Amino acid sequence: MLLILFSLVGMLGVQYTYFLSIAYGNAVGFFICCIMMFGGIYVQINTVILRYLEMELKSPFTTSFGTMKRRPVLLVEVIDEHGVRGWGEGVAFAAPWYTEETIETMWHMLEAFLIPLLFQAPVHHPDELLERFSIVRRNYMAKAALEGAVWDLFAKRHHIPLHVALGGEKKEVEVGVSIGIQPITDLLKRMEQALIEGYRRVKIKIKPGWDIDVVRAVRHHFPHVPLMVDANCAYSLRDIARLQALDDYELLMIEQPLAVDDIVDHAKLQAKLKTPICLDESICSYEDAKRAIELKSCRVINIKIGRVGGLTEAKRIHDLCQQHHLPVWCGGMLEGGVGRAHSIALATLPYFSFPSDTAASANYWERDFITPEVTVRDGRIFVRHEFGIGYEVDVTEVEKRTVRLKICKRSRG
Ligand SMILES: O=C(O)CCC(=O)C1=CC=C[C@@H](O)[C@@H]1C(=O)O
Ligand SMILES: [Mg+2]
């Protein structure tokens, strides 16, 4: 009886504060979280559906570690005891060259370990899953896929958008575009197109031998465009002179120049560079971010939900960086629409300080599997107010691409 009363109070309270927050701004975000925590609604997931989708990028994407055209996606759908559904996306690639995870390892970890852990007990708030999943080491993208689906469902159960559930404040998020390695004339054309489309910042990929000349050529054509470079771990401290030469081009930041575990060398390098270093692959947790801040290994952090194990950890890293005045921004993983929707919601948090790598659906896909597709106007994505992730999953489009499906059911014994 008491539980039903709490649930009712919680549900009404959350919706009321959501409408208040629309009407009066977002000062009530903290209040919303309190009500969510104590409101008494809990979610019992009874079914999880895993889908392996074959997808192809519109054009190949080349970085220092290789070229990708095929981009399979792992979709996670969770269904609770009321039939409410939530969606998450596993963002690892087919091969383990960004982090150690792949689409197959995510599938295995989900099926063998994480889904059974989710079935074990109801969830009062998705923040609890960080602790519950912690008995599984690393495997952050697998955890994030399932946790993200629960966040979506949780927001829907509370009749609020995901960005409100997260405590986000922005009504629109600024976005940039990431352009892969390609012949310089194609790169310049692609950049010009992106700027015409309104993107507010351009990131280009570099590697040893494809760096200073390219940046010089880009700066020659676009002297004032907010520009950054991403090396995806391609350099070592032996390349310090090459990296220092990039200081002449007013780059916003150099993303992940050194190896994934070179957090000490990144500190040595940052001390010798004027340009801020942004860490991507090196930051997989709150603890990693704390160490990087302590060691002064970087001046910016790129937060990707998948890389850090989910939205809860992403929020913790955001808050930590805010306390230390170290700007963050939201990276991308060439996601399908569900992953993209989660990133948009996260980027509404106040300390996301540079445009996200969340370009429009049409930048990647002939047809995305959400409706509406993500669109960018004047370099901004307008945040949707529908409950949960704010976009519908287009089941017909999903089914067309699904090559493997697994339905996992909670045993009620
Ligand atoms: O548009 C996006 O989703 C960002 C693309 C992008 O730059 C990256 C995606 C995935 C791995 C890397 O190649 C790279 C990155 O490191 O940020
Ligand atoms: Mg990167």
Side-chain angles (χ1 to χ4, degrees):
M1 189 62 201
L2 211 59
L3 200 66
I4 294 171
L5 193 69
F6 269 156
S7 298
L8 261 171
V9 171
M11 242 175 73
L12 292 174
V14 168
Q15 284 180 65
Y16 179 60
T17 46
Y18 169 50
F19 291 121
L20 270 185
S21 77
I22 289 177
Y24 298 113
N26 282 287
V28 287
F30 175 71
F31 188 42
I32 292 179
C33 292
C34 293
I35 291 177
M36 280 178 177
M37 295 297 277
F38 302 113
I41 292 182
Y42 68 88
V43 166
Q44 176 64 67
I45 306 294
N46 288 333
T47 307
V48 180
I49 306 176
L50 300 179
R51 292 182 177 85
Y52 186 128
L53 274 58
E54 281 294 1
M55 308 262 297
E56 247 199 30
L57 294 165
K58 258 183 175 172
S59 44
F61 189 74
T62 301
T63 69
S64 63
F65 44 61
T67 298
M68 187 167 33
K69 177 86 163 81
R70 195 183 141 236
R71 202 296 180 231
V73 163
L74 196 165
L75 263 192
V76 178
E77 182 182 5
V78 295
I79 308 172
D80 75 0
E81 77 276 25
H82 302 287
V84 180
R85 286 153 199 266
W87 293 89
E89 186 173 326
V91 299
F93 299 128
W97 35 248
Y98 171 74
T99 65
E100 65 276 21
E101 290 184 80
T102 68
I103 190 147
E104 293 296 349
T105 68
M106 287 191 301
W107 187 289
H108 170 65
M109 296 312 296
L110 283 160
E111 194 180 342
F113 301 103
L114 298 169
I115 294 170
L117 281 170
L118 181 63
F119 284 159
Q120 254 174 28
V123 180
H124 294 87
H125 190 283
D127 281 349
E128 295 160 24
L129 294 176
L130 187 63
E131 172 72 22
R132 197 184 299 184
F133 291 165
S134 68
I135 61 162
V136 173
R137 284 189 199 245
R138 298 185 68 92
N139 289 284
Y140 298 116
M141 293 180 181
K143 290 175 182 171
L146 190 56
E147 188 242 34
V150 176
W151 265 106
D152 179 29
L153 189 150
F154 173 82
K156 285 173 180 156
R157 281 286 303 273
H158 284 86
H159 301 106
I160 52 171
L162 177 60
H163 65 94
V164 172
L166 293 169
E169 294 180 357
K170 297 177 190 161
K171 303 274 180 267
E172 56 188 55
V173 297
E174 284 195 310
V175 289
V177 73
S178 173
I179 303 181
I181 293 173
Q182 52 200 288
I184 190 77
T185 42
D186 297 348
L187 175 66
L188 293 172
K189 257 192 249 153
R190 177 72 196 87
M191 226 177 123
E192 190 169 356
Q193 185 56 38
L195 295 169
I196 292 168
E197 286 165 27
Y199 286 102
R200 301 215 167 171
R201 182 272 290 142
V202 175
K203 166 164 125 181
I204 60 171
K205 296 286 181 175
I206 56 165
K207 61 180 181 180
W210 182 265
D211 40 29
I212 304 164
D213 294 347
V214 182
V215 172
R216 187 185 302 117
V218 168
R219 263 290 172 245
H220 177 73
H221 284 83
F222 305 100
H224 306 298
V225 166
L227 179 69
M228 57 180 286
V229 294
D230 185 359
N232 288 111
C233 310
Y235 295 84
S236 75
L237 275 188
R238 283 191 302 276
D239 301 304
I240 204 154
R242 273 199 111 71
L243 294 165
Q244 276 173 325
L246 295 175
D247 272 342
D248 294 340
Y249 298 98
E250 297 208 23
L251 299 174
L252 287 174
M253 62 193 94
I254 302 177
E255 188 172 329
Q256 196 69 38
L258 309 180
V260 59
D261 50 1
D262 266 356
I263 201 147
V264 173
D265 283 354
H266 272 113
K268 291 181 188 158
L269 179 64
Q270 181 64 93
K272 299 222 158 82
L273 290 182
K274 278 193 272 157
T275 314
I277 289 178
C278 165
L279 288 180
D280 175 356
E281 283 92 327
S282 291
I283 307 296
C284 292
S285 63
Y286 175 92
E287 293 302 325
D288 286 345
K290 204 165 117 214
R291 275 186 285 270
I293 293 168
E294 263 169 43
L295 291 173
K296 299 191 170 48
S297 307
C298 62
R299 290 196 214 128
V300 183
I301 288 180
N302 165 345
I303 301 183
K304 291 183 184 172
I305 302 165
R307 198 194 64 232
V308 305
L311 285 162
T312 299
E313 190 74 342
K315 273 194 304 158
R316 294 180 72 219
I317 297 173
H318 163 275
D319 295 351
L320 175 78
C321 290
Q322 186 167 26
Q323 280 158 27
H324 288 86
H325 310 289
L326 188 122
V328 299
W329 62 282
C330 183
M333 285 294 289
L334 309 167
E335 297 95 341
V338 168
R340 197 162 300 284
H342 281 89
S343 293
I344 295 165
L346 179 69
T348 63
L349 294 182
Y351 209 59
F352 279 86
S353 308
F354 296 97
S356 311
D357 259 352
T358 314
S361 298
N363 184 57
Y364 311 88
W365 315 111
E366 292 299 345
R367 173 77 180 84
D368 205 337
F369 51 77
I370 50 163
T371 42
E373 296 200 347
V374 174
T375 52
V376 171
R377 214 171 344 126
D378 189 25
R380 292 163 302 167
I381 295 174
F382 292 89
V383 181
R384 295 174 61 78
H385 294 294
E386 285 78 2
F387 304 149
I389 58 174
Y391 296 83
E392 285 295 320
V393 172
D394 184 333
V395 179
T396 318
E397 287 299 322
V398 166
E399 277 171 3
K400 268 195 228 161
R401 297 171 168 98
T402 302
V403 292
R404 196 194 308 165
L405 179 139
K406 170 90 194 184
I407 301 176
C408 310
K409 293 241 176 233
R410 184 171 77 95
S411 69
R412 284 153 203 259

